[in-house]
């Protein structure tokens, strides 16, 4: 099928079979929008670049823990450790703890530093090479990926109290009462009696004394209450930036290391009650074949949700900046999709989709398998991730990058 | 940067000793989030978040005693509005109010000294 062919996805079978679980009045949390973060900057760009989905990620939170993790690169000299997946926030490790009010202040550099994370991943792939005698020898290559990510909150914090905070407020009020102690009660009573005096100076003195006493009782506990970071509650606007690069070490030799992949992401995302929008740009360079294969994506996605239903529209434009020799991939191509998601249960959506993929004939293309398209589970309008290669010359050709796998299980070698 | 204001106010409130019930009505202003505690002679009587009426007992019980309504309030609706607290006992009222921006807070004490009505 040609890439410009529009395909219709219909969820008839799925809808008939499963819609009895869907109710329009299902309580869906406002933040439970389908597929919001699929066309987003990855949380762990190093893992994304190598196509890894590690089940165990080390997350050091102290300098000592970080040292222990990084020391794995220094076992009997410099080495690439097996199946390493590390993610850490330098600011959290190095900076002193801040009070919540301070934390919520906006600041470009402060946010960038505070929200920065570093991810490091390693994996091993195997390949067969000719032994010169008609047979093959298995060889192993190491891959190391290093990524960084940060984000900026573009919206001011929102205010609102939960039940626990309201209870705390009442407790603070009691704590800050002037008459909560025997001495406080007596002093307050005497000052009130002075306020009944006919002497204006005495009354002024009593009033000022009460204000001073109250000021002494007040704590700063209120500042941190009823403040919700829009980023934490998935509300408001965010700017996210990430980059990662990976290196291959053929035959697991450190001195044979060479650059193989790099990618960069930037997105501007907004999420409000029942609506979200994301604009994403990303660039990816793949040199696993020995020459640069460079492409960029620019896309937008919008979602509107109400009750148990959500409608979304997505448009991605891909431009090949530099193609590897022999590549017949289009210089410009695009993907457009409309989808209706019906919330079934927590995290499960029934999706009815309609759209055009980058290359509808590519193996595994979301829209190319059949005109009948439905899905249950994660929403099926999924933007191609950085692990998705540009359209291949041969639709049946395997991806040029490793398939997602755990570090321990990764065995598909990048083309070297 | 959010600010926190502290204020106190007081009133003398004569009550007849034969009054069966002396009731204080506490009204935190909207649209703030608030918490308050009522203490009679330093003893916690009642607390809450929304407006409420507190039965303090008979006139004979409360005469010559000191009632404090201690309250904290925080502006949470994203708009500038007063943080206010009003306490009414019978036909007497006393109130505190401060203009506040989103995130601003206030800590108030309203003191009511009960006396025996002549």
């Amino acid at each position: 099928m040609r890439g410009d062919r529009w395909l219709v996805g219909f969820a008839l079978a799925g809808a008939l079979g499963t819609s009895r679980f869907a109710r329009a009045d299902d309580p869906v949390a406002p933040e439970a929008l389908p597929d919001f973060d699929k066309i987003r900057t990855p949380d762990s760009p190093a893992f994304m670049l190598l196509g890894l989905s590690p089940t165990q990620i080390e997350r050091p939170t102290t300098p000592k823990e970080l040292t222990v993790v990084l020391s794995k690169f220094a076992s009997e000299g410099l080495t690439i450790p097996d199946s390493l997946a590390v993610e850490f926030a330098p600011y959290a490790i190095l900076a002193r703890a801040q009070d919540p009010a301070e934390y919520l202040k906006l600041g470009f550099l402060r946010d960038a530093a505070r929200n920065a994370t570093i991810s490091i991943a390693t994996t091993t792939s195997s390949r067969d090479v000719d032994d010169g005698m008609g047979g093959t020898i298995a060889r192993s290559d190491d891959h190391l990926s290093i990524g960084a990510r940060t984000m900026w909150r573009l919206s001011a914090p929102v205010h609102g109290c939960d039940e626990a905070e309201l209870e705390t407020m009442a407790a603070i009020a009691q704590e800050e009462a002037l008459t909560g102690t025997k001495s406080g009660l007596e002093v307050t009573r005497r000052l009130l009696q002075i306020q009944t005096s006919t002497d204006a100076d005495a009354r002024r003195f009593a009033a000022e004394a009460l204000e001073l006493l109250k000021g002494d009782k007040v704590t700063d506990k209120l500042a941190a209450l009823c403040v919700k970071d829009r980023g934490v509650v998935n509300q408001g606007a965010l700017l996210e930036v990430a980059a990662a690069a990976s290196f291959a070490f053929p035959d697991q030799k450190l001195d044979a290391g060479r650059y193989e992949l790099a990618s960069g992401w930037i997105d501007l995302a907004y999420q409000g009650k029942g609506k979200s929008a994301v604009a994403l740009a990303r660039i990816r360079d793949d040199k696993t074949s020995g020459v640069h294969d460079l492409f960029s994506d620019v896309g937008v996605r919008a979602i509107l949700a109400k009750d148990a239903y959500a409608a979304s529209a997505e448009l991605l434009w891909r431009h090949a900046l530099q193609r590897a020799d022999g590549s017949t991939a289009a210089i410009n191509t695009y993907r457009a999709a409309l989808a209706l998601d019906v919330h079934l249960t927590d995290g499960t959506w029934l999706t009815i989709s309609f759209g055009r993929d980058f290359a509808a004939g590519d193996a595994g293309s979301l829209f190319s398998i059949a005109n009948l398209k439905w899905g249950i589970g994660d929403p099926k309008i999924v933007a191609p991730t950085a692990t998705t290669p540009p359209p291949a010359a041969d639709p049946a050709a395997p991806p040029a990058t490793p398939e997602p796998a755990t570090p321990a299980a990764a065995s598909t070698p990048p083309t070297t | 940067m959010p600010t926190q204001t502290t204020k106190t106010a007081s009133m003398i409130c004569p009550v007849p000793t034969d009054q069966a019930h002396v009731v204080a009505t506490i009204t935190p202003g909207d649209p703030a989030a608030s918490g308050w505690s009522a203490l009679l002679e330093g003893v916690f009587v009642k607390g809450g978040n929304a407006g409420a009426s507190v039965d303090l007992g008979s006139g004979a019980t409360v005469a010559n005693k000191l009632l404090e309504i201690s309250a904290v309030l925080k502006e949470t609706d994203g708009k500038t509005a007063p943080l206010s607290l009003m306490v009414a006992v019978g036909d007497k009222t006393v109130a505190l109010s401060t203009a506040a921006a989103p995130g601003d807070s206030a800590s108030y004490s309203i003191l009511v000294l009960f006396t025996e009505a002549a």
Side-chain angles (χ1 to χ4, degrees):
Chain A
M1 294 182 185
R2 293 190 55 79
D4 60 355
R5 177 172 174 183
W6 286 84
L7 297 164
V8 178
F10 237 90
L12 187 60
L16 289 175
T18 58
S19 61
R20 64 182 185 276
F21 300 116
R23 295 181 182 86
D25 58 353
D26 274 352
V28 182
E31 62 271 23
L33 292 171
D35 195 27
F36 174 68
D37 58 357
K38 293 290 166 49
I39 179 171
R40 289 289 288 273
T41 294
D43 289 336
S44 306
F47 307 161
M48 169 75 84
L49 196 62
L50 287 183
L52 303 176
S53 302
T55 54
Q56 191 171 353
I57 301 172
E58 295 184 71
R59 290 191 169 91
T61 57
T62 65
K64 185 178 179 182
E65 290 175 2
L66 180 60
T67 303
V68 169
V69 170
L70 296 182
S71 68
K72 294 177 181 177
F73 285 94
S75 173
E76 299 176 2
L78 279 177
T79 185
I80 303 296
D82 291 337
S83 305
L84 183 71
V86 186
E87 188 171 43
F88 61 95
Y91 188 88
I93 291 177
L94 300 173
R96 65 179 175 81
Q98 291 183 325
D99 68 70
E102 179 71 16
Y103 179 84
L104 290 169
K105 284 183 183 173
L106 296 174
F108 188 82
L109 291 177
R110 177 174 18 214
D111 275 12
R114 192 169 52 208
N115 298 323
T117 56
I118 305 290
S119 52
I120 302 172
T122 66
T123 189
T124 303
S125 61
S126 58
R127 59 188 161 92
D128 293 329
V129 296
D130 191 348
D131 64 1
M133 296 180 290
T136 58
I137 302 173
R139 294 284 179 82
S140 295
D141 302 330
D142 284 336
H143 305 270
L144 165 68
S145 176
I146 301 173
R149 177 187 187 277
T150 193
M151 53 159 276
W152 291 267
R153 291 176 292 117
L154 303 180
S155 306
V158 292
H159 300 280
C161 306
D162 56 35
E163 282 299 316
E165 287 173 320
L166 288 172
E167 287 180 15
T168 303
M169 288 182 86
I172 292 172
Q174 186 177 355
E175 187 182 336
E176 295 182 356
L178 289 171
T179 60
T181 62
K182 191 175 180 180
S183 58
L185 176 63
E186 278 311 305
V187 171
T188 304
R189 185 196 306 279
R190 293 189 185 194
L191 289 171
L192 284 182
Q193 287 167 345
I194 293 172
Q195 281 197 311
T196 63
S197 162
T198 54
D199 184 339
D201 287 340
R203 291 201 306 271
R204 192 179 309 115
F205 163 79
E208 290 174 358
L210 282 172
E211 296 289 342
L212 288 172
L213 284 175
K214 183 66 179 176
D216 278 348
K217 295 291 288 187
V218 168
T219 66
D220 60 357
K221 294 176 181 175
L222 204 53
L225 290 180
C226 308
V227 180
K228 305 285 180 274
D229 184 337
R230 283 186 188 269
V232 170
V233 298
N234 243 357
Q235 297 276 310
L238 296 174
L239 176 64
E240 300 171 301
V241 177
S246 76
F247 305 87
F249 299 90
D251 298 329
Q252 300 183 302
K253 291 178 180 174
L254 206 63
D255 56 2
R258 60 176 178 77
Y259 160 79
E260 60 175 357
L261 292 167
S263 195
W265 300 262
I266 180 168
D267 77 60
L268 181 62
Y270 170 80
Q271 184 163 4
K273 265 190 173 178
K275 55 183 178 289
S276 75
V278 184
L280 171 83
R282 60 188 171 206
I283 189 167
R284 177 180 166 91
D285 180 35
D286 185 342
K287 204 188 171 192
T288 51
S289 64
V291 293
H292 292 282
D293 199 350
L294 186 63
F295 74 94
S296 63
D297 282 344
V298 177
V300 293
R301 175 165 189 177
I303 303 173
L304 285 174
K306 185 166 176 54
D307 299 327
Y309 303 98
S312 58
E314 178 183 309
L315 180 63
L316 270 171
W317 175 68
R318 174 167 291 173
H319 177 67
L321 300 166
Q322 185 175 338
R323 292 181 295 177
D325 292 342
S327 171
T328 58
I331 293 178
N332 291 298
T333 182
Y334 69 96
R335 169 195 170 86
L338 294 171
L340 175 67
D341 293 293
V342 181
H343 186 247
L344 299 178
T345 60
D346 283 348
T348 305
W349 297 77
L350 172 68
T351 301
I352 304 166
S353 55
F354 168 88
R356 174 206 187 275
D357 210 343
F358 286 117
D362 283 357
S365 172
L366 193 63
F367 298 94
S368 64
I369 298 170
N371 285 350
L372 186 67
K373 190 65 197 171
W374 63 279
I376 300 173
D378 287 337
K380 290 299 179 284
I381 298 261
V382 179
T385 65
T387 54
T388 304
D394 175 4
T401 49
E403 291 295 328
T406 61
S411 60
T412 306
T415 307
T416 53
Chain B
M1 184 67 182
T3 60
Q4 186 165 6
T5 304
T6 62
K7 282 185 178 178
T8 64
S10 61
M11 68 174 173
I12 308 296
C13 189
V15 291
T17 52
D18 60 352
Q19 185 172 327
H21 296 280
V22 177
V23 176
T25 303
I26 297 147
T27 310
D30 283 333
S34 61
W36 56 265
S37 289
L39 294 87
L40 185 65
E41 283 293 289
V43 177
F44 176 80
V45 178
K46 191 173 181 179
N49 302 108
S53 293
V54 183
D55 189 341
L56 301 169
S58 67
T61 304
V62 301
N64 301 311
K65 288 186 177 174
L66 177 57
L67 171 70
E68 177 180 8
I69 308 300
S70 175
V72 294
L73 303 98
K74 188 158 190 172
E75 180 51 58
T76 56
D77 80 334
K79 298 172 185 171
T80 297
L83 294 173
S84 62
L85 173 69
M86 186 174 74
V87 175
V89 181
D91 58 355
K92 286 182 167 287
T93 61
V94 62
L96 288 169
S97 185
T98 306
D104 286 354
S105 58
S107 180
Y108 295 150
S109 275
I110 289 182
L111 302 155
V112 181
L113 185 60
F114 293 106
T115 60
E116 292 184 29

